[in-house]
Amino acid sequence: GTGSLPPQLSFKPFFFTELVGGSLPASRSSDYICVSVDAEENTKFTLPPGMKLISVPDPQSFDADQVHLRINYDRPSPRVLSVILSLKIDHPQETCSAGYYSGVHTALTRMTNALRQEIIYKSAGENAR
């Protein structure tokens, strides 16, 4: 049948969604700890024989002040997909202000939504609907 691959399918030491936005409260009223990081992740999915990828999100790039996210997909065959995430957060200070958060909140929300997009697959023998 048809199914989806969730964005956080495997064990990882950290998740990009948490690095980008944590819990993403609607607003902040005080300064908060803001980390800097430069990370890349390449996850390769190989579906079993008889299955094929039918929907893969488009590559995306986001920039929000000191936060830069790139999401790319490489599809070398109908059953194989590599998801390449590149994240650079370059805060020159250890804390960020509530005002800074207010300015980047919308972009961080778009980033976390993109990181949560699913990849859809189905049985290669299943008829199109």
Side-chain angles (χ1 to χ4, degrees):
T2 302
S4 68
L5 299 172
Q8 293 151 347
L9 182 64
S10 61
F11 171 78
K12 299 174 184 178
F14 57 86
F15 291 105
F16 278 68
T17 306
E18 291 298 317
L19 288 174
V20 169
S23 61
L24 276 180
S27 64
R28 292 186 181 270
S29 58
S30 61
D31 291 353
Y32 63 99
I33 295 173
C34 53
V35 299
S36 291
V37 67
D38 192 352
E40 186 169 297
E41 175 181 274
N42 186 338
T43 305
K44 182 179 180 180
F45 299 97
T46 303
L47 296 174
M51 304 301 285
K52 68 178 182 176
L53 296 163
I54 60 169
S55 178
V56 175
D58 292 328
Q60 298 181 63
S61 294
F62 301 91
D63 293 298
D65 201 351
Q66 300 144 346
V67 182
H68 313 281
L69 174 67
R70 307 286 177 266
I71 306 171
N72 290 303
Y73 301 90
D74 180 30
R75 252 178 113 164
S77 77
R79 295 187 311 115
V80 177
L81 175 72
S82 289
V83 181
I84 302 105
L85 304 175
S86 177
L87 175 66
K88 181 168 183 147
I89 302 174
D90 191 18
H91 295 298
Q93 67 284 342
E94 294 178 5
T95 59
C96 291
S97 69
Y100 169 81
Y101 183 79
S102 178
V104 298
H105 180 265
T106 300
L108 296 179
T109 300
R110 284 194 303 267
M111 290 181 198
T112 57
N113 288 340
L115 287 164
R116 291 182 178 118
Q117 290 182 318
E118 294 181 331
I119 297 154
I120 309 298
Y121 65 88
K122 74 174 185 176
S123 170
E126 185 177 323
N127 294 330
R129 294 177 191 226

